[in-house]
Amino acid sequence: MTTAPPRQDSPSPVPDGVRLEHRATLARSVRLLSAFRHERSKPEYFYDLMARDAIAQLGSYTDLVGATVIDVGTGSGFFARALTAAGARCTGIDHDLAELTAHNAAGPNAFVASALALPFRTGSADVCFSSNVLEHVPSPWRMADEMVRVTRPGGTVFLSFTNWLSPWGGHETSPWHYLGGDRAARRYERRNGRPPKNLHGRNLHPVSVSAALRWARGRDDVNVLDAVPRYHPRWAGGIVRVPGLREFATWNLVLILRKKGS
């Protein structure tokens, strides 16, 4: 079992005790949502932008300088690199070696492991972070439970996912997933000559905003600091409080949790 990631040299970390600035403005929302059209053609640009924004958002809740961070579903390491640049000591896991090396060599302190059984001791991390992975595991709340388990008392959990009924819930098969995930996949294959990367029921699973809120609020070992639409301006955050509407209008939910002390 791993206790903590080894210390890394951090490129230009922010000064000790300084929280990263994150402004959830309309201009920022337009910039992020516009970037989605570059996800396949310019993945480095797209994921670097998303990573820097997510780490600034996380950094508005907790000091990352010197923090031990676990990146669950690290993929090619864009978020891990942004965490390291913010001064954190980060390690990442992914279930697929091909994902770790999709854009370049696997980053330092990245290895293959399951998000459903994180290979870390209980309470070993200051922060447990995951971006857009929850909808890709067959037991999402088991993964979420594991993230809370490995976080120390007083530590922070950042959990973000794309909810199924959002316009992007079917990922590359959207918006045809509204007619059914299997039908959307068949349509994608007919039009593109290959199946989609994200197959409904195999590596893409319906997850709802309501289920996420029930899970978080049902735990007695965490406080919910925030539950907001990830890409929306701050003033639009109230849609998460509206049942029904939130499933379609949230697009992507971010849960920020603080683990309670023992």
Side-chain angles (χ1 to χ4, degrees):
M1 298 287 284
T2 302
T3 55
R7 182 172 294 277
Q8 305 172 22
D9 292 332
S10 175
S12 303
V14 297
D16 287 350
V18 174
R19 296 286 177 87
L20 298 176
E21 183 180 8
H22 184 266
R23 300 182 63 192
T25 63
L26 180 60
R28 170 233 177 213
S29 297
V30 171
R31 183 169 63 254
L32 291 178
L33 294 174
S34 297
F36 275 95
R37 69 178 185 269
H38 299 298
E39 182 179 8
R40 293 188 176 277
S41 61
K42 300 178 181 178
E44 288 79 9
Y45 163 78
F46 170 78
Y47 286 109
D48 182 65
L49 176 65
M50 292 295 171
R52 287 186 284 110
D53 183 81
I55 276 43
Q57 188 173 21
L58 170 61
S60 67
Y61 295 93
T62 187
D63 182 11
L64 292 172
V65 175
T68 298
V69 182
I70 297 170
D71 179 13
V72 180
T74 192
S76 295
F78 289 97
F79 292 95
R81 287 191 287 276
L83 284 160
T84 301
R89 296 180 293 133
C90 184
T91 193
I93 68 99
D94 203 286
H95 81 291
D96 189 352
L97 179 61
E99 288 293 329
L100 291 174
T101 58
H103 297 291
N104 46 41
N109 304 320
F111 57 94
V112 176
S114 172
L116 304 182
L118 293 174
F120 302 98
R121 294 187 185 277
T122 297
S124 61
D126 298 310
V127 177
C128 197
F129 172 92
S130 182
S131 173
N132 294 339
V133 177
L134 193 72
E135 69 267 30
H136 296 291
V137 299
S139 301
W141 311 120
R142 180 177 168 187
M143 169 182 148
D145 288 341
E146 279 289 277
M147 291 181 65
V148 173
R149 179 186 66 79
V150 301
T151 304
R152 65 166 176 80
T156 304
V157 175
F158 179 105
L159 178 58
S160 170
F161 67 92
T162 303
N163 48 300
W164 176 249
L165 289 179
S166 78
W168 196 244
H171 289 48
E172 68 267 47
T173 68
S174 300
W176 302 100
H177 67 293
Y178 287 126
L179 301 179
D182 294 338
R183 178 181 292 182
R186 290 195 297 270
R187 179 185 182 278
Y188 181 93
E189 186 167 5
R190 286 197 304 271
R191 292 177 64 87
N192 295 278
R194 65 182 187 280
K197 176 183 177 180
N198 298 288
L199 288 167
H200 176 258
R202 291 179 56 184
N203 59 354
L204 181 62
H205 306 276
V207 185
S208 70
V209 174
S210 297
L213 296 175
R214 281 197 305 271
W215 168 81
R217 293 168 179 168
R219 296 192 66 102
D220 58 9
D221 58 350
V222 299
N223 290 317
V224 180
L225 300 185
D226 235 336
V228 295
R230 178 173 179 178
Y231 306 125
H232 293 19
R234 189 71 186 184
W235 49 260
I239 62 173
V240 173
R241 297 192 292 271
V242 184
L245 175 64
R246 62 192 176 199
E247 301 298 342
F248 296 91
T250 298
W251 279 70
N252 188 289
L253 183 73
V254 176
L255 285 174
I256 307 290
L257 310 177
R258 180 68 41 76
K259 191 168 181 179
K260 295 179 180 179
S262 56

